[in-house]
Amino acid sequence: FIVFWNNRNIRRKQPGDLILAFKHFVDGLPEAQRSRVALLMHTQAIDENGTDLIAVKNALAPDCKIIFSEQKLSAPELNALYNIADVTVNIGSNEGWGLSSTEAILAGCPIVNNVTGGLQDQCGFQDEDGNWIQFDGEFATNHTGKYKLHGVWVKPVFPSNRSLQGSPATPYIFDDRVRYEDVADAIRYWYTTPETLRDEMGYAGREWALKNGLTAEQMGNKMIS
């Protein structure tokens, strides 16, 4: 069972929280199953904009199978990683879109998303009329959990706390943090879902993404028009 993470090793992507969540998930498994799960992190293991993930692994999860993929990959090679993964996780605390989740969905791989920024758009949350929720000035985010019904391809994790962060280029933005225990529970959800059903749910995500124009070509054509 492979958990995949494809992001830059930077602070807002919360790679340390994911390692902690993965360890929490592994600790909850019977001992005989622990060697049969792995966390695959496609990222630079040591980055000044993030942290030393090797040190984090050695200190917090020394007995867990965590694999670092650091080389630049072609699109077909990256697609292969999404296809060997059982679930792709993105728990960035502020995220304009979250490309790895889209790529995973289009490869038919189920996802775990933090309900923040653009990540929540990929969860397929539905309003009272069964429509994909739309955001405006009155309702700008679903991170408080107003809508709970979502697509079968995702196990969303609602943030437990928020803080206002910023930089000179982006003076203010909400930083939505998830509890690592909740992320572990979301990973466990996919682990306990039968493989055939997991495949069906992942494929439903791909169909949804194609229907709603989430490929690069479809979004490019929307921008042109």
Side-chain angles (χ1 to χ4, degrees), residues 111-114 150-157 185-187 189-190:
I111 60 174
V112 170
N113 272 9
N114 182 10
H150 55 79
V152 296
W153 58 88
V154 60
K155 186 64 175 176
V157 181
D185 289 343
I187 295 172
Y189 168 82
W190 288 116

Side-chain angles (χ1 to χ4, degrees), residues 186-199:
I187 295 172
R188 189 174 298 109
Y189 168 82
W190 288 116
Y191 180 77
T192 56
T193 300
E195 185 176 359
T196 54
L197 179 57
R198 196 166 59 223
D199 289 344

Side-chain angles (χ1 to χ4, degrees), residues 159-179:
S160 64
N161 64 91
R162 292 176 288 167
S163 66
L164 196 68
Q165 300 294 324
S167 67
T170 309
Y172 58 91
I173 187 171
F174 268 128
D175 201 57
D176 297 313
R177 302 295 182 99
V178 294
R179 296 173 70 248

Side-chain angles (χ1 to χ4, degrees), residues 67-187:
I67 304 162
F68 295 103
S69 162
E70 297 192 78
Q71 300 300 314
K72 186 174 178 62
L73 300 177
S74 67
E77 290 171 328
L78 187 58
N79 183 53
L81 294 189
Y82 284 114
N83 274 274
I84 67 170
D86 294 281
V87 59
T88 296
V89 179
N90 194 330
I91 54 170
S93 59
N94 54 75
E95 187 69 81
W97 180 246
L99 186 58
S100 63
S101 292
T102 318
E103 292 175 337
I105 293 171
L106 287 166
C109 179
I111 60 174
V112 170
N113 272 9
N114 182 10
V115 183
T116 187
L119 289 173
Q120 63 191 311
D121 289 293
Q122 303 178 64
C123 295
F125 284 111
Q126 297 179 17
D127 62 18
E128 298 87 346
D129 300 318
N131 298 317
W132 190 16
I133 59 172
Q134 300 297 311
F135 299 103
D136 55 30
E138 296 299 318
F139 177 62
T141 178
N142 191 42
H143 60 190
T144 57
K146 178 180 179 180
Y147 297 108
K148 294 293 199 302
L149 187 62
H150 55 79
V152 296
W153 58 88
V154 60
K155 186 64 175 176
V157 181
F158 290 93
S160 64
N161 64 91
R162 292 176 288 167
S163 66
L164 196 68
Q165 300 294 324
S167 67
T170 309
Y172 58 91
I173 187 171
F174 268 128
D175 201 57
D176 297 313
R177 302 295 182 99
V178 294
R179 296 173 70 248
Y180 71 84
E181 297 94 339
D182 293 340
V183 179
D185 289 343
I187 295 172

